Amino acid sequence: MAKRWYVIHTYSGYENKVKADLEHRIETFGMQDQIVDIQIPTEEVTEIKDGGKRETKEAKVLPSYVLVRMEGNDETWSFVRNTPGVTGFVGPDSKPSPLRRSEFDKIMRRTGARGTSAAVPKRTSTNIEVGQSVRVLSGPLADFDGMVSEVSAESGKVKVMLMIFGRETPVELTLDQVTVIA
């Protein structure tokens, strides 16, 4: 029987425990031929802290979800559903729905896994928000203070309104060029 990818829902923060428990149960009950892979999709996220310090960490692409590649039958569905921390499958209650190949590929492309050749964009998050006062740390406008008018975490940039020559002027800066003023 063909093995397909299914999405299981877990309690929040239990993804790694569910994966470990499921792997242990598969080995204990000899289900290796029916349940062949378990994935918790992650991606690298760069956070920019005050002072422009960058911190890179792993973040779950789908918090509270785990992907399982297995045969789709009542025995495997029941086996997975009865694993501690699993709340159920994504799909109708009576019969879980497998992921389409395109859906699986899209999820895994974000993780940079599965030998994809495409460059994986890294996500950036920041504590800088529209309306906050910031000080420019570097560049020709260093030591100017201004108000954030736009934040683009994806591109790592922020638009700041600076008072230059008595006029408010919009300036685009990188996130590491500014710090929040308390």
Side-chain angles (χ1 to χ4, degrees):
M1 181 179 246
K3 298 227 210 333
R4 310 268 315 263
W5 284 100
Y6 291 85
V7 180
I8 57 174
H9 187 262
T10 69
Y11 292 125
S12 180
Y14 277 67
E15 302 88 352
N16 294 329
K17 181 157 181 34
V18 164
K19 180 180 179 182
D21 287 350
L22 196 49
E23 287 170 342
H24 181 262
R25 292 184 71 223
I26 289 167
E27 190 174 320
T28 302
F29 290 95
M31 301 281 288
Q32 298 92 328
D33 59 331
Q34 295 178 66
I35 304 172
V36 296
D37 198 2
I38 303 166
Q39 295 286 326
I40 301 171
T42 60
E43 65 184 342
E44 280 188 12
V45 176
T46 302
E47 288 185 351
I48 301 184
K49 304 286 187 183
D50 284 339
K53 292 186 180 176
R54 292 177 179 265
E55 185 179 296
T56 302
K57 64 180 186 177
E58 286 282 310
K60 291 175 178 62
V61 173
L62 302 168
S64 300
Y65 293 95
V66 175
L67 305 180
V68 180
R69 186 168 176 238
M70 62 185 200
E71 291 179 7
N73 59 49
D74 290 339
E75 181 185 8
T76 57
W77 291 331
S78 176
F79 183 84
V80 171
R81 198 176 278 122
N82 289 316
T83 301
V86 173
T87 60
F89 281 88
V90 172
D93 287 336
S94 59
K95 185 178 178 199
S97 303
L99 283 175
R100 290 190 300 272
R101 185 71 201 180
S102 60
E103 293 170 325
F104 175 78
D105 290 344
K106 185 175 182 181
I107 292 167
M108 296 313 284
R109 226 183 340 271
R110 279 187 65 183
T111 71
R114 299 277 168 224
T116 57
S117 57
V120 179
K122 293 182 180 168
R123 217 170 28 129
T124 302
S125 67
T126 180
N127 61 341
I128 298 174
E129 297 176 2
V130 173
Q132 286 184 313
S133 295
V134 294
R135 174 165 290 133
V136 180
L137 297 172
S138 63
L141 301 171
D143 297 325
F144 275 80
D145 293 343
M147 180 84 59
V148 176
S149 64
E150 195 175 308
V151 177
S152 178
E154 297 79 32
S155 65
K157 297 190 178 189
V158 63
K159 191 175 284 185
V160 179
M161 299 302 285
L162 298 177
M163 196 63 85
I164 302 175
F165 302 122
R167 303 180 78 177
E168 219 176 35
T169 307
V171 178
E172 189 173 87
L173 300 165
T174 60
L175 290 168
D176 59 352
Q177 285 184 285
V178 298
T179 187
V180 176
I181 301 172

